[in-house]
Amino acid sequence: MQIRSQLCSFGSCSRLLAVLGILLLGGCAGLDKPGLSAEQAPRPELLGANHVDPAMRERIAHALRRDADEDTLRAALKQQPGNVDAAIPLARTLLAQNRADEALQLLDDLLLVTPGDLRALNAKGVVLDNEGRHREAQALYRRALATEPGNEMLRNNLALSLALDGTAESGNVSLQPSAEEAHALMHSK
């Protein structure tokens, strides 16, 4: 569930933050107008920053740093293709930017290098769930749970996926893939 919330937390605010960042930076571009100088008005008033919440400023700064982070993560993956610690944040970033196809390709490439990695399987399941491909996601969660049956994150994500799919099971979540899920898993590779 932690990975799901991390992957989805940026999606709802990323566009708003980007627009606010552009607006704030756009204020800087207008400083060369005649009659305005840094001596005449303090910097916050020129930018309207005195009305921006400090937490919002931090989120805007984080959104603007994301491109540099993406480049850094891609460089780390280029040097070490099986680097799960770089691949998952990059997949999260791509998903937040509505680039789910790129995130899935990235995770597929990662799973070729690290085929049984639970975090990579879970991350791909989250992206598939985000895309409405619940059966494929459920097959991945079950595949990972077969390796580590007590993993609460995987169990929670499987239960959530089942609920999103409208096939929530009562009681314990079954670790065995259905015939449909096995078929879906074959097509997601």
Side-chain angles (χ1 to χ4, degrees):
M1 189 106 145
Q2 181 185 13
I3 295 295
R4 178 180 299 281
S5 66
Q6 288 174 352
L7 281 170
C8 297
S9 66
F10 291 107
S12 60
C13 294
S14 64
R15 288 190 192 102
L16 173 64
L17 294 176
V19 169
L20 287 174
I22 290 168
L23 291 175
L24 287 176
L25 292 174
C28 294
L31 293 178
D32 60 342
K33 293 181 183 174
L36 288 179
S37 72
E39 292 81 33
Q40 288 177 328
R43 182 176 168 96
E45 283 76 15
L46 285 175
L47 297 176
N50 59 342
H51 301 291
V52 178
D53 177 41
M56 180 62 77
R57 274 191 226 129
E58 179 61 31
R59 288 191 295 267
I60 291 168
H62 180 73
L64 295 175
R65 282 192 307 262
R66 192 170 314 150
D67 289 336
D69 292 343
E70 183 178 336
D71 292 341
T72 303
L73 293 169
R74 285 190 187 279
L77 280 171
K78 194 173 211 174
Q79 289 179 349
Q80 190 179 15
N83 186 342
V84 177
D85 293 326
I88 290 177
L90 180 54
R92 182 183 318 121
T93 298
L94 293 171
L95 187 61
Q97 296 172 356
N98 293 320
R99 295 162 56 191
D101 290 340
E102 289 178 61
L104 285 171
Q105 184 60 53
L106 169 80
L107 293 167
D108 283 340
D109 293 345
L110 177 66
L111 285 166
L112 288 174
V113 178
T114 60
D117 187 87
L118 298 180
R119 294 184 302 156
L121 290 168
N122 182 66
K124 183 176 179 185
V126 170
V127 175
L128 289 169
D129 269 333
N130 188 68
E131 293 300 294
R133 296 166 58 183
H134 304 297
R135 299 283 180 177
E136 293 170 77
Q138 293 160 18
L140 287 172
Y141 297 137
R142 284 192 169 101
R143 179 174 151 196
L145 280 166
T147 303
E148 194 175 314
N151 187 305
E152 286 299 314
M153 176 181 61
L154 292 167
R155 284 186 167 284
N156 289 338
N157 284 349
L158 175 57
L160 182 57
S161 182
L162 290 166
L164 290 170
D165 192 27
T167 58
E169 301 169 1
S170 59
N172 261 347
V173 174
S174 169
L175 299 181
Q176 300 301 317
S178 68
E180 289 176 25
E181 289 171 348
H183 182 70
L185 180 59
M186 294 302 294
H187 289 294
S188 73
K189 290 183 179 179

